[in-house]
Structures are given as C-alpha cells and as structure tokens.
Amino acid sequence: MTLKKRSAALLVVPALALGASLLAGGVAAASTPDGGGGGHGCRAPLPADGLSVVTCVDWADSGSAVGTVTTSGSNNTTINLCVEVVDANQNLVPGSRNCQPQPGPSGFVQTPNVSLRAGTYYVVSYFTSPTYWYGGETQPFSVS
C-alpha cells in the first residue's frame, strides 16, 4: 500500500469507527460544574491490543478545549498514539490532531488548546501498532 493510500485509510477509519461507536453508545458521562461554563469528561476505559485507553476532554463554554488520551497495560510495543477533536458531523477541527510515538505500555498525548465555534464536539483517540486500534471518544460536549 502506498503512503498516500495509508494516509487516506487513517483518515477514513477513525471516522467510521467514531460513527459506529456513537450509535452504540458506551461513553462515561461528562460533567458540567455549577450548571455551565464548561467541564471535564472521560470515556470509560476501552481495552485495545493489550492496553487500556482513556480519552478525556476539558472544555470551556467560551470555546476552548483540550483533549487527552492515556494508555496503560501490558503491550510493550511502540505505538503511534493519536487524539483529535471532531465536530458533530465527524469533521476534524483544524489544528487539533496530535499523534506521537509512545514506547512501552504507558502513553499520554494531548491536543493543542483549540478554539471552537458554537456547536457540539467529541474528542477521539486511536493508535497504530502498526494495526489500527480505536481508542474511543468522549461524550459529546457543547460550546455556546
């Protein structure tokens, strides 16, 4: 497979996985402290390739958000761990994707602090080892 085809596959597969998981549910509830202004939310740990993957978001109602993904477990393979912010239509928020190689079973990657327009968003994580593994997504969060 050429590099161009691999890159295209890496863009399509997360979108398909996100769509399937949104239909299936299975996310931990996000909290909104004091009834508004933003919050913090994490997906329940998701097992993937010998790892436990936790995807989280911290957001402000004013429009900024940071997504994180943490891994732990028994897989000592170096993985390329990714986290990104997508909108309700599964479109990548420009500048939000961050992928970093993570040696061993423990890893942590976070998105840059992104500015968001009013709308609904998710933080999505995945990794390659070299096989693609879906890491989960947060509950939807809204910015007004």
Side-chain angles (χ1 to χ4, degrees), residues 20 43 45 115 144:
R43 186 194 198 291
S115 295
S144 53

Side-chain angles (χ1 to χ4, degrees), residues 96-111:
S96 71
R97 179 178 291 150
N98 188 12
C99 295
Q100 299 291 324
Q102 301 293 306
S106 298
F108 175 82
V109 176
Q110 77 178 37
T111 67

Side-chain angles (χ1 to χ4, degrees), residues 15-89:
L16 294 174
L18 174 62
S21 70
L22 291 177
L23 293 175
V27 292
S31 62
T32 303
D34 303 319
H40 172 83
C42 291
R43 186 194 198 291
L46 182 71
D49 196 26
L51 296 173
S52 177
V53 183
V54 178
T55 306
C56 298
V57 62
D58 287 287
W59 80 97
D61 192 48
S62 61
S64 65
V66 174
T68 61
V69 59
T70 306
T71 61
S72 61
S74 60
N75 184 336
N76 286 318
T77 304
T78 296
I79 62 172
N80 190 37
L81 184 60
C82 300
V83 63
E84 59 194 37
V85 180
V86 297
D87 66 18
N89 295 318

